[in-house]
Amino acid sequence: MFGWEFLASSVFVFLSGLAFRLDQEMAFLGSAARRLVSVRSTLAPLCRTSSRSYSTTEKNVPYETTLKQEERSFSGPTKPLPRSADVVVIGGGSIGCQTVYHLAKMGMTNVVLLERDRLTAGTTWHTAGLLWQLRPSDVEVELLAHTRNVVSKDLEEETGLHTGWIQNGGLFIASNKQRLDEYKRLMSLGKVYGIESYVLSPAETKDLYPLMNIDDLYGTLYVPKDGTMDPAGTCTTLSRAASARGATVIENCPVTGIQVGTDDLGVKKVKAVETPHGTVETPCVVNCAGVWATKLGEMAGVNVPLIAMHHAYVVTERIEGIQNMPNVRDHDASVYLRLQGDALSVGGYEQNPIFWEEVSDKFAFSLFDLDWDVFMQHIEGAINRVPVLEQIGIKSTVCGPESFTADHKPLMGEAPEVRGFFLGCGFNSAGMMLGGGCGRELAKWIIHGRPEKDMHGYDIRRFHSSLTDNTRWIRERSHESYAKNYSVVFPFDEPLASRNMRKDPFHEVLTDQGCVFQERHGWERPGWFNKDGPAPVKGYDYYGAYNMRNNENYKYKELLGKEYTFDFPPHHDVIKSECLSCRHDVAVFNMSYFGKFYLTGPDAKKAADWLFSADVNKKPGSTVYTCMLNKRGGAEADLTVSRLEPGPAKLPLAPESDGDAYYLAIGGGVAEHNWNHIKTVIQDQGFQCQLMDHSEDMGMISIQGPKSRAVLQEVLDTDLSNEAFPFSTHKLVNAAGHQVRAMRLSFVGELGWELHIPKVSCVPVYRAVIAAGAKHGIINSGYRAIDSLSIEKGYRHWHADLRPDDTPLEAGLAFTCKMKRPIPFQGRERLEKQKKEGLRRRIVCFTIDEKVPMFGLEAIFRNGVPVGHLRRADYGFFIDKTLGYGYIRNPDGGVVSADFIKSGKFMLERMGVTYKAKAHLKSPFDPENKRVKGIYE
C-alpha cells in the first residue's frame, strides 16, 4: 500500500530518560555490520524490547509552549461536566478535535469532547502532521484536500492563530519503472483535482535536492504544495474554534463506562457516558480513542478491530544544506526522510514491527525505548539516499504506539452492534493527514445519517461481523498491511494473511482444478483458473519475520507475484479464454460468496417499497434488479430482489411466510454493508419485519453463455424456453435430484441461469452441470472474467462505478427507479429534483484503439480540459478494446447532456500519456440487449 508516515515532530524531541547524543563519527558507520555492532554496544541500555517498557516525559513534551500556555491543576476535569449532550466525542487527538470542530461548525453546539489527559496526549503529540496530496484513491485525494484547506487557511481565518502549516513540498523516489509508473498514475489523477506535480529525471532531482544520491534513481515525482502541520498547534486551534462555536472541550476526564439500553424493538442504543466525575446522558458517542479504542468499544459491546504496534523514527543532528528541502519517501527502500528544521527525521515500515501486547491506560505523553534490532534495517536505505547521513549524529529517538488495521484504512461510521456508537479510530499513522476530511465526513455521518462522500473504504461495515472479533485475522492482516505499506499498489494484488477464513462448498473441488482464489469479505472466491494445476493458499508465514519459516514452493504466491505489473498481466490470455468461452459457448461461475437474505413479516411489503428504488412487488416468481438509496439519493447498494410464494418453510430455499416475502441476493464483498443498511432503515421507519441471513447455508453457481440452455435442460426438470422461463424470473426446481432455486439472470450479458443450492447439494449439482456441459465445451471461469465481461456489457459494480455518492440517474440506472409510480421510496425527492434540474455529472463509457491496459483513475479530458477520471477499466475481449467508465462534469457547471458528450473530443491520460477516446452513450457490446433474451445472430 501507498504509505502513511508516522513522523518526527516539527521541533526536536528532547525526551527525559530517552534523549541521547552520539558523536558524529559513531552515529552512522560506513559498514552496515559495523553500524549494527557499534550501535548495539553503545545503546544497549536503551534497547529493551519488553512490551511494558516505556518512559513518561511530562515535562519535556514537544510543543510545550503550545500545550502549556496556561498553568492548570489537573486534579480533576478542566470544566464541569454537563448533564447531557447531543454528542460526546471521546479522545482529544487529531480525529477527536477535527470531529468536534466540524460538528460545531455545522451547527451542533451541544457537543462535548472528553480527553482522559490533555489534548494530543496519546499518539498525536509525537506525530509530525505531514500531508501528501496524492493517493491512489479519488476519495482520499478529496479528504486530504479538505485537511489542507482547514490547516493552511480556514483555522487561521477563523481564529487568527497559525497552525504551524509549512509548505516545503514532497518528493517520491522511484528506483524502478514499476514504481515510477505508479507515481505517474497519481500525477494523472492529480490533474483532475488541480494538484500540481512533476515527474523529474535523476538530474532534475539532484538540482532540487543536492544532497541526494541519484545513482540508482529511475525518476521522481515532485509535489511542490505538500507540507506539514504542527499537531499540537493544530489541535489546540481546532479546540478553540470549536469552543467559540459552543462546543465544550474537557480535559483530564477519563471515561469509565458506556451505558447502553434496549428499546421496545430490541435495538441497542447508546444512553450515557460514565466518568469518575459524573455521567453525561447522550444518544451518540464517537470513539476517537486511537490505540485505546478497542477498550472503549468493549465498554459498549462493540468490536473495534485494530491492533497497537511500536512505530519509530530518529532525529539527526544539524545537516548543512538541508534547509527548505522537500520531504522524501523512498518506498523501495522502505524509508522516509522528513525535514526537521535544519535536520532530518528518518523512519520506515519494517517487516517485523513490535506489537504492544498490553495497552496501558496510564500511557500519556509517553514513549517506548527504541529497539535497534528492529530499527537498524532502515538506516542503510537512508544513508544510500542521502550519503551525508553517514557522518551525521543522532539527536533523539522517538518510538511510540500507533493503531493499525487489517487493510491499513481507518475505522469509521456507526457500529453494527449499537446504534449511536460511532467510530473514528485506527488511522494507521495518518490521523493528522486525514483528520480534516474524515472529521467533516464523520460529522455529516452523525448529523445526517450518512457521509457525503463514498466512505465505504473506511466504514466499519466493510468487514464481516465474523472477522471483527477474530484475533488471528486482526493480527495477521494488520501485520501484512504494515509490512506492505510501502509496496507498489498493483491492480490484482491479494493478501496472503488470514486466508481461508470463509470457504464455500465448492472450494475443494475448484482448488483441485487450478482455481486461483481472491479474498473478499473473508470469503475465498474464484479469481481465475491456472492451467498448470492446483495453487492452494497456505497459512500466513509473516514474510519470515519473528523467526517464522517462509512457505516453500508456494505456487499461489508465485502466480500472484507474476501479476505485479501495470502492463497486461502474464495470465491475460487465460482471462481471455474464460471470457470468450462464455461469449461463444458456456461457462460456469461460482458466486457462492453472495449475501443471501430473506425479508419477511407483516410490514415486509412496506419495507420493500421504501427500501428498493425499483418496483419489486410484482407477482411471485419475479426477480427485479434494483438499487437501495440513502436520503440524498445515492446508491447504497445494487442487488436482485425475488418475490416469493407464501407457504411453509423450506429452508434454506424458502422461509415460512403467510404474506409477502422476498429473497435478496447481494454481492458478497458488500454483504455486511447491505445487511446493516437494511436493518438501520427498518429500525428508523419502525417496520414490523424480519431480515434473515442464509449466506452460509447455500452455494450459488451461474451458468452463462449461448449454450447454457442446452446444458441446463439436461440437468433441471423444467422447461427452460423463453415462454416457460422468461428473463428475470425464478422457480424452485430439481437439479440432478436436488431441489434448487433457479433464476434466469445474467451479470455478464449472456443467456444464463443462476442456481441457488443448499449447501449439502452443491457438489453433486455442480458435477451434474459439468458432466452435461462437457460436449458443449463448458469451462470454469472466475471473477477476473466477470469483471471483464460485465464492464464490456456496461453492468455496474457497486463501490466502483456505482457508489453512495452516485445517484441512479447519474449512473445510467434510471430504469431501476419507480419514478412513474406514485410509490414513495428513500431518496426519491432528491431524484425528482435532479431529474427536473438536469444532471451536473453522469457516467460515460470510453473505448480506445491502442492496446494498452487501464485500471481506473485515468484522467478524462474533453477538448483539452480535465472533466473527470475513470472509476473502472478493463479489457473487453469480445470487442477487442480497452474500455472504461467514468463520471464527467461540465467545467462551466452546467448540465451534462447527450449533446455535451457527443460534441466533445475526449482523451484519456494513462501515466502521463494521452490516448484518443471514443465516448459511448450505450454499451458498445450488445446495446439492444438481445443476448440475455437468448437472441443470437
Side-chain angles (χ1 to χ4, degrees):
M1 296 182 181
F2 207 75
W4 293 109
E5 288 70 18
F6 183 92
L7 296 165
S9 53
S10 61
V11 295
F12 286 137
V13 185
F14 297 94
L15 304 167
S16 61
L18 284 179
F20 66 91
R21 291 179 179 270
L22 296 176
D23 292 333
Q24 290 187 355
E25 66 271 18
M26 296 184 65
F28 294 96
L29 306 178
S31 152
R34 286 168 55 208
R35 280 200 307 277
L36 187 56
V37 171
S38 297
V39 174
R40 281 177 177 168
S41 174
T42 306
L43 303 177
L46 296 173
C47 293
R48 299 187 299 275
T49 60
S50 166
S51 62
R52 293 178 179 271
S53 174
Y54 58 88
S55 303
T56 304
T57 57
E58 295 206 33
K59 296 185 178 180
N60 292 289
V61 298
Y63 319 112
E64 62 180 330
T65 302
T66 308
L67 291 171
K68 297 185 177 181
Q69 289 177 349
E70 301 176 14
E71 289 298 326
R72 294 172 290 184
S73 171
F74 282 88
S75 58
T78 55
K79 294 177 183 176
L81 265 69
R83 294 184 59 183
S84 64
D86 293 329
V87 180
V88 175
V89 178
I90 302 173
S94 170
I95 304 303
C97 290
Q98 288 279 10
T99 301
V100 75
Y101 164 75
H102 281 91
L103 284 168
K105 195 169 184 177
M106 292 178 195
M108 185 172 278
T109 57
N110 187 20
V111 179
V112 174
L113 184 149
L114 299 179
E115 162 57 44
R116 65 185 174 90
D117 196 272
R118 280 174 283 175
L119 296 183
T120 78
T123 61
T124 299
W125 71 280
H126 52 71
T127 283
L130 203 141
L131 190 147
W132 314 91
Q133 297 176 88
L134 292 177
R135 295 279 295 169
S137 159
D138 58 338
V139 174
E140 289 188 353
V141 168
E142 294 170 8
L143 295 173
L144 291 165
H146 183 66
T147 299
R148 189 180 185 281
N149 286 337
V150 169
V151 300
S152 67
K153 181 173 65 73
D154 294 354
L155 282 175
E156 190 165 353
E157 290 177 356
E158 292 179 33
T159 66
L161 299 174
H162 184 51
T163 61
W165 169 254
I166 300 172
Q167 183 177 293
N168 64 313
L171 191 63
F172 302 92
I173 306 300
S175 301
N176 55 67
K177 180 181 182 299
Q178 289 180 334
R179 182 68 74 179
L180 192 61
D181 284 347
E182 181 184 37
Y183 295 159
K184 288 177 179 178
R185 279 171 55 78
L186 299 183
M187 178 186 68
S188 292
L189 178 63
K191 291 179 181 179
V192 178
Y193 290 96
I195 297 173
E196 183 182 359
S197 66
Y198 306 93
V199 173
L200 304 182
S201 68
E204 291 170 325
T205 302
K206 186 74 170 180
D207 290 340
L208 176 67
Y209 203 119
L211 295 180
M212 183 169 291
N213 168 35
I214 63 169
D215 292 345
D216 60 346
L217 285 195
Y218 197 86
T220 59
L221 179 68
Y222 175 50
V223 188
K225 294 183 180 178
D226 287 349
T228 60
M229 301 165 278
D230 170 345
T234 298
C235 289
T236 300
T237 307
L238 287 165
S239 170
R240 291 188 178 184
S243 298
R245 294 177 182 272
T248 303
V249 177
I250 303 175
E251 297 174 274
N252 206 40
C253 187
V255 171
T256 55
I258 307 290
Q259 293 182 12
V260 175
T262 304
D263 68 13
D264 295 339
L265 297 176
V267 180
K268 292 183 178 181
K269 296 182 178 181
V270 168
K271 287 182 60 179
V273 174
E274 298 172 351
T275 81
H277 311 288
T279 297
V280 182
E281 295 180 358
T282 182
C284 182
V285 163
V286 190
N287 183 350
C288 299
V291 165
W292 297 270
T294 299
K295 289 189 175 183
L296 189 65
E298 290 172 355
M299 296 179 186
V302 170
N303 294 324
V304 182
L306 58 78
I307 196 163
M309 298 184 195
H310 295 203
H311 198 52
Y313 56 83
V314 299
V315 183
T316 73
E317 296 278 7
R318 183 179 184 277
I319 304 172
E320 185 64 37
I322 204 70
Q323 294 83 353
N324 302 318
M325 291 296 101
N327 305 304
V328 173
R329 286 196 287 187
D330 189 343
H331 292 101
D332 295 316
S334 194
V335 168
Y336 58 77
L337 308 169
R338 189 268 196 197
L339 185 68
Q340 187 100 355
D342 58 0
L344 289 177
S345 58
V346 178
Y349 287 82
E350 57 278 352
Q351 298 282 309
N352 57 337
I354 298 172
F355 294 94
W356 192 15
E357 304 289 1
E358 299 180 24
V359 177
S360 169
D361 292 335
K362 300 184 182 302
F363 197 100
F365 293 118
S366 307
L367 293 171
F368 304 110
D369 294 331
L370 181 64
D371 187 325
W372 283 95
D373 290 337
V374 173
F375 189 79
M376 282 305 300
Q377 57 195 289
H378 302 306
I379 300 302
E380 190 169 350
I383 292 176
N384 175 64
R385 189 54 56 220
V386 181
V388 71
L389 290 177
E390 190 170 14
Q391 303 302 322
I392 299 297
I394 296 174
K395 194 172 192 104
S396 58
T397 69
V398 177
C399 182
E402 183 54 271
S403 56
F404 292 91
T405 63
D407 57 1
H408 218 72
K409 302 292 183 185
L411 306 175
M412 294 179 62
E414 191 172 31
E417 300 92 342
V418 178
R419 298 295 305 274
F421 192 99
F422 285 80
L423 302 179
C425 52
F427 274 78
N428 304 276
S429 305
M432 287 301 298
M433 282 180 270
L434 290 171
C438 288
R440 180 173 67 171
E441 293 305 308
L442 195 49
K444 291 182 178 182
W445 220 322
I446 293 164
I447 295 171
H448 303 299
R450 292 297 289 142
E452 181 178 297
K453 299 187 185 303
D454 168 34
M455 299 298 289
H456 177 71
Y458 292 6
D459 192 336
I460 182 60
R461 300 178 300 175
R462 70 188 185 272
F463 297 132
H464 191 259
S465 58
S466 66
L467 302 176
T468 56
D469 65 345
N470 187 305
T471 303
R472 175 196 147 204
W473 176 80
I474 296 169
R475 190 181 188 91
E476 289 187 359
R477 288 292 292 272
S478 297
H479 171 268
E480 184 177 33
S481 294
Y482 183 101
K484 291 182 68 174
N485 187 40
Y486 274 1
S487 298
V488 178
V489 182
F490 289 111
F492 303 118
D493 199 9
E494 293 290 330
L496 296 175
S498 285
R499 295 292 297 268
N500 297 317
M501 301 295 286
R502 304 174 77 192
K503 296 187 289 188
D504 64 59
F506 305 103
H507 185 269
E508 184 175 346
V509 67
L510 295 185
T511 298
D512 292 342
Q513 296 181 61
C515 184
V516 180
F517 287 96
Q518 302 172 331
E519 187 275 341
R520 299 293 184 274
H521 222 45
W523 284 108
E524 297 294 318
R525 75 173 193 182
W528 56 281
F529 285 81
N530 176 41
K531 296 180 179 179
D532 296 326
V537 179
K538 298 184 179 183
Y540 187 49
D541 61 7
Y542 283 87
Y543 294 89
Y546 314 118
N547 297 316
M548 294 284 289
R549 185 175 180 179
N550 281 307
N551 285 317
E552 297 178 353
N553 301 315
Y554 197 176
K555 181 181 277 190
Y556 180 85
K557 186 177 181 181
E558 293 172 5
L559 291 172
L560 206 60
K562 290 178 180 178
E563 296 207 309
Y564 288 169
T565 177
F566 291 109
D567 295 323
F568 288 118
H571 310 107
H572 189 64
D573 288 342
V574 178
I575 311 302
K576 177 180 179 179
S577 175
E578 293 183 16
C579 289
L580 294 183
S581 291
C582 179
R583 290 281 185 242
H584 296 303
D585 298 306
V586 60
V588 57
F589 301 90
N590 174 20
M591 304 174 73
S592 298
Y593 91 122
F594 259 49
K596 309 169 193 76
F597 306 154
Y598 290 114
L599 179 65
T600 63
D603 289 343
K605 182 179 183 300
K606 290 181 182 179
D609 282 339
W610 183 251
L611 275 165
F612 306 124
S613 61
D615 184 4
V616 300
N617 282 302
K618 304 182 183 299
K619 64 181 181 180
S622 64
T623 297
V624 178
Y625 172 68
T626 182
C627 293
M628 289 192 291
L629 310 182
N630 53 44
K631 295 174 183 177
R632 299 188 321 278
E636 290 290 336
D638 69 330
L639 66 157
T640 58
V641 178
S642 299
R643 194 171 185 196
L644 305 178
E645 293 274 5
K650 296 180 181 179
L651 293 173
L653 288 173
E656 180 181 2
S657 172
D658 57 1
D660 298 298
Y662 307 87
Y663 176 47
L664 284 51
I666 295 165
V670 294
E672 186 77 16
H673 173 93
N674 281 245
W675 173 269
N676 284 285
H677 174 76
I678 296 168
K679 293 285 286 186
T680 297
V681 171
I682 289 173
Q683 293 167 8
D684 290 346
Q685 297 297 319
F687 293 131
Q688 297 291 319
C689 52
Q690 293 79 45
L691 186 65
M692 296 170 283
D693 185 357
H694 285 273
S695 303
E696 308 274 355
D697 303 328
M698 285 187 283
M700 172 183 164
I701 54 175
S702 182
I703 299 89
Q704 300 288 324
K707 299 179 181 178
S708 59
R709 178 183 279 132
V711 172
L712 288 175
Q713 195 64 78
E714 295 185 28
V715 179
L716 306 182
D717 68 344
T718 190
D719 183 357
L720 299 181
S721 66
N722 285 338
E723 295 74 22
F725 208 140
F727 185 71
S728 286
T729 62
H730 65 93
K731 296 179 181 179
L732 286 178
V733 300
N734 286 315
H738 300 264
Q739 192 171 47
V740 305
R741 185 176 298 281
M743 296 186 179
R744 187 170 166 192
L745 297 169
S746 179
F747 195 49
V748 296
E750 297 294 336
L751 172 70
W753 281 261
E754 295 175 359
L755 303 182
H756 298 241
I757 313 167
K759 194 172 183 179
V760 295
S761 301
C762 282
V763 173
V765 171
Y766 168 80
R767 293 194 188 281
V769 170
I770 292 297
K775 60 180 175 286
H776 298 287
I778 195 168
I779 69 165
N780 290 301
S781 293
Y783 268 84
R784 290 279 288 278
I786 288 178
D787 289 342
S788 170
L789 293 164
S790 62
I791 195 172
E792 190 173 51
K793 181 64 184 90
Y795 292 156
R796 307 287 177 257
H797 274 195
W798 193 83
H799 199 234
D801 41 16
L802 180 65
R803 306 191 312 200
D805 53 345
D806 306 320
T807 72
L809 305 188
E810 296 167 339
L813 298 177
F815 69 90
T816 67
C817 301
K818 47 184 179 257
M819 303 294 285
K820 295 180 181 179
R821 303 286 304 279
I823 303 173
F825 60 91
Q826 182 159 275
R828 177 169 184 146
E829 291 182 2
R830 167 69 190 282
L831 299 191
E832 288 175 338
K833 182 181 180 192
Q834 192 174 58
K835 184 177 180 180
K836 180 179 179 181
E837 295 177 350
L839 299 176
R840 263 46 181 190
R841 60 195 288 273
R842 63 187 292 179
I843 199 166
V844 178
C845 174
F846 296 96
T847 57
I848 62 171
D849 292 331
E850 289 86 352
K851 296 294 190 290
V852 295
M854 293 186 179
F855 307 104
L857 301 184
E858 290 82 8
I860 303 169
F861 291 85
R862 179 185 182 273
N863 299 342
V865 178
V867 292
H869 66 277
L870 295 185
R871 287 273 194 86
R872 179 178 165 219
D874 212 317
Y875 197 82
F877 292 99
F878 190 86
I879 65 172
D880 198 23
K881 291 180 184 293
T882 293
L883 73 165
Y885 281 81
Y887 290 79
I888 67 170
R889 297 179 180 272
N890 188 327
D892 298 330
V895 172
V896 180
S897 64
D899 287 341
F900 176 83
I901 296 169
K902 292 176 182 178
S903 64
K905 294 182 178 179
F906 288 94
M907 304 284 287
L908 301 180
E909 180 174 311
R910 171 189 182 270
M911 301 178 187
V913 179
T914 56
Y915 300 88
K916 184 178 179 180
K918 182 178 180 180
H920 303 264
L921 296 176
K922 287 187 176 182
S923 166
F925 171 80
D926 189 24
E928 296 178 357
N929 292 320
K930 291 183 177 180
R931 297 170 76 100
V932 295
K933 301 171 186 175
I935 303 172
Y936 289 89
E937 298 175 352

